Amino acid sequence: AVSRVLGVAQKPASRVLVASRNFANDATFEIKKCDLHRLEEGPPVTTVLTREDGLKYYRMMQTVRRMELKADQLYKQKIIRGFCHLCDGQEACCVGLEAGINPTDHLITAYRAHGFTFTRGLSVREILAELTGRRGGCAKGKGGSMHMYAKNFYGGNGIVGAQVPLGAGIALACKYNGKDEVCLTLYGDGAANQGQIFEAYNMAALWKLPCIFICENNRYGMGTSVERAAASTDYYKRGDFIPGLRVDGMDVLCVREATRFAAAYCRSGKGPILMELQTYRYHGHSMSDPGVSYRTREEIQEVRSKSDPIMLLKDRMVNSNLASVEELKEIDVEVRKEIEDAAQFATADPEPPLEELGYHIYSSDPPFEVRGANQWIKFKSI
Amino acid sequence: MAAVSGLMRRPLEQVSGLLRRRFHRTAPAALQVTVRDAINQGMDEELERDEKVFLLGEEVAQYDGAYKVSRGLWKKYGDKRIIDTPISEMGFAGIAVGAAMAGLRPICEFMTFNFSMQAIDQVINSAAKTYYMSGGLQPVPIVFRGPNGASAGVAAQHSQCFAAWYGHCPGLKVVSPWNSEDAKGLIKSAIRDNNPVVVLENELMYGVPFELPSEAQSKDFLIPIGKAKIERQGTHITVVAHSRPVGHCLEAATVLSKEGIECEVINMRTIRPMDIETIEASVMKTNHLVTVEGGWPQFGVGAEVCARIMEGPAFNFLDA
């Protein structure tokens, strides 16, 4: 699942060796035990990480991190406008989830979606160009931050909670087609209180849909902390009759193991399962939120210094001789270059032409005319 | 409950409809079919034709449909393709839209469109807008259908007409059949369309039989979405309506013709995209226009027809 994302950018492992050192091929790590709800056993508490996978996850998380920080910069320069919800701090979630599933599985999330858009296969170029609203963007500049789509990735959804029934519907299609695919349906701690999510839980359980409901709990729904929003903050239990697990969302290996476990559960036909990923976002809710009026800078700093997902992986790899500090630094340099190139493209690419304003209203229809701001302005729609 | 009262309300009409169907001597080509059976046939044919088509909604399977529109389908196609849902409009409409995004072709039934208000976010934000917002990457081939508008004495919460509400939104197609031919042709076109289509049926029309001409009995009979039909030619005044009021207009036309006034009655068939050209051509001929609908007048379908006539070439031909 992870290899196709990196594609051309990745160099063969052997050429990355800086000093003539022999690295270990793999290492075993202990991971935090998941809290369980209505499950006899959970995911394993140890996992094996290969050097190759470790380097991949590191590169992917670093790419997401730098892409989000670049988006922050472009927003402050007013090159990106509108909504921009960044996920730096939550990289272990998107990378770990992707590592636990196949490219043929499906994923849908809400608006904090740039990381998932990348892990599901789109390039940083297409993502940044979509954020800047240019024709090279993955949605031709018409979707923006919240509406990016890729193969088996259904966005990018702006209405809080609406993506959860959609995800259950994609799972229904998986079951209908009989291909053993699962659908990862993500929502946040804020969305977890939406009524339609409980409607989706009910139908998914009733019809045994292969749906993994995933609550990305970053402790704050916009400016409201979980204690102020939810009578029960045990989000992994909120599925009631649906079994659940609470996962350390800052540890990419923990997320990977939990996802493998959940996917196997669904594929066996037992019905839906719920995962709560405990994670944290460094930025505010969106670019218009400084993020410090409802939480302290000390708290943000503490998470950054003790639980940063990229730092955790890096320490593990270096300490187990899976990689060297220099090697990882080289990856950092390559990633920075990739992001810089993508940002250049996203800034220089032209906006979609005005003539195309009316395109893509209907699918598969012959061309027709759309009334513009007055009856003499007509746009063509194809 | 609305479903039971629907059956109890007009038993005589139901029985006489049956009698008419059994004993009426028809011309060899045409056939008497109620609107209910026409929709049923249309769905049956499309379910048979394409494996990806399925029906979900409250009471559509084992109950045979709250208004018996899906009678016999569950027996024929089973649990996989005819799905009874709990009373969770927002949830199951979202599930239907998600299934459409993943490549299936769902028919999502709302017991009445009044309940679609619970799910209207999924219809507009998740279904209608997605193809545009994705730059053409993600089509949503879904049909939302059910009875719309006033029924007999069901009170304000159960009598709203949603033609104007759904007709307002780009990305949606909205159709409103009147007779059996309309119902069958439009539901089939809607199911085959790769866009979200809202089919506004009418509960009071379900039991009314009409002659179904021979072309309409073919399994590939489709009525194009976006084309109105001139039900009755006339010279003095254009009368435009959709759904059940088309019948009232034809009755009114019969009365008026005795006084020497010939009405041209146009059955809109499609609310969005509206076939304004047919209406314009008619107004340019008759110089008079009346719109008739079951919805509230302010910001309604008739208001839109009038606005478009005013903006277009027909305005100069309009006397009243």
Side-chain angles (χ1 to χ4, degrees), chain A residues 106 108 130 138-140 142-144 147-150 153-154 156-157 159 161-170 172-178 194-196 199-200 202-204 206-207 209 356-365 368 371 374-376 382, chain B residues 50-54 56 80-81 83-104 118 121-122 125-126 128 130-140 169-174 193-196 272-273 310-312:
Chain A
H106 307 261
I108 187 170
E130 186 57 38
C138 53
K140 303 190 177 69
K142 293 170 89 172
H147 305 292
M148 303 197 229
Y149 296 79
F153 175 58
Y154 304 82
N157 289 277
I159 307 295
Q163 76 278 9
V164 178
L166 294 181
I170 296 163
L172 187 142
C174 290
K175 183 167 179 177
Y176 195 99
N177 291 328
Q194 270 268 318
Q196 56 187 318
E199 295 188 9
N202 182 38
M203 286 183 270
L206 208 51
W207 302 332
L209 302 180
E356 292 184 15
L357 185 68
Y359 283 17
H360 309 120
I361 293 178
Y362 290 137
S363 167
S364 325
D365 264 27
F368 64 99
R371 184 190 189 279
N374 60 49
Q375 69 254 42
W376 300 284
I382 57 164
Chain B
D50 186 349
E51 271 238 319
K52 299 209 233 33
V53 178
F54 71 97
L56 92 169
K80 178 179 172 183
R81 303 186 66 201
I83 305 175
D84 273 338
T85 64
I87 307 176
S88 316
E89 275 76 9
M90 203 169 183
F92 72 71
I95 283 179
V97 175
M101 287 181 176
L104 297 183
Q118 305 252 314
D121 174 67
Q122 297 289 2
N125 283 322
S126 302
T130 295
Y131 189 66
Y132 186 87
M133 290 193 303
S134 64
L137 287 178
Q138 179 64 71
V140 185
C169 303
L172 271 190
K173 294 189 180 180
V174 182
D193 200 305
N194 286 337
N195 296 288
R272 184 175 189 114
M310 186 217 32
E311 283 190 346

Side-chain angles (χ1 to χ4, degrees), chain B residues 39 42-43 46 52-57 92-93 96-97 99-101 104-110 113 123 127 140-146 172-175 177 183 185-201 225:
Chain B
I39 301 172
M43 288 200 289
E46 294 307 302
K52 299 209 233 33
V53 178
F54 71 97
L55 172 67
L56 92 169
F92 72 71
V97 175
M101 287 181 176
L104 297 183
R105 304 188 74 91
I107 307 168
C108 177
E109 176 177 307
F110 291 118
F113 267 95
V123 178
V140 185
I142 188 169
V143 173
F144 297 101
R145 54 159 289 272
L172 271 190
K173 294 189 180 180
V174 182
V175 299
L186 287 173
I187 192 81
K188 286 168 74 73
S189 292
I191 294 170
R192 294 192 197 188
D193 200 305
N194 286 337
N195 296 288
V197 184
V198 171
V199 181
L200 302 171
E201 300 160 6
I225 295 180

Side-chain angles (χ1 to χ4, degrees), chain B residues 192-215:
Chain B
R192 294 192 197 188
D193 200 305
N194 286 337
N195 296 288
V197 184
V198 171
V199 181
L200 302 171
E201 300 160 6
N202 187 293
E203 201 238 306
L204 295 172
M205 296 303 295
Y206 280 153
V208 179
F210 289 92
E211 264 196 22
L212 203 63
S214 53
E215 324 81 73

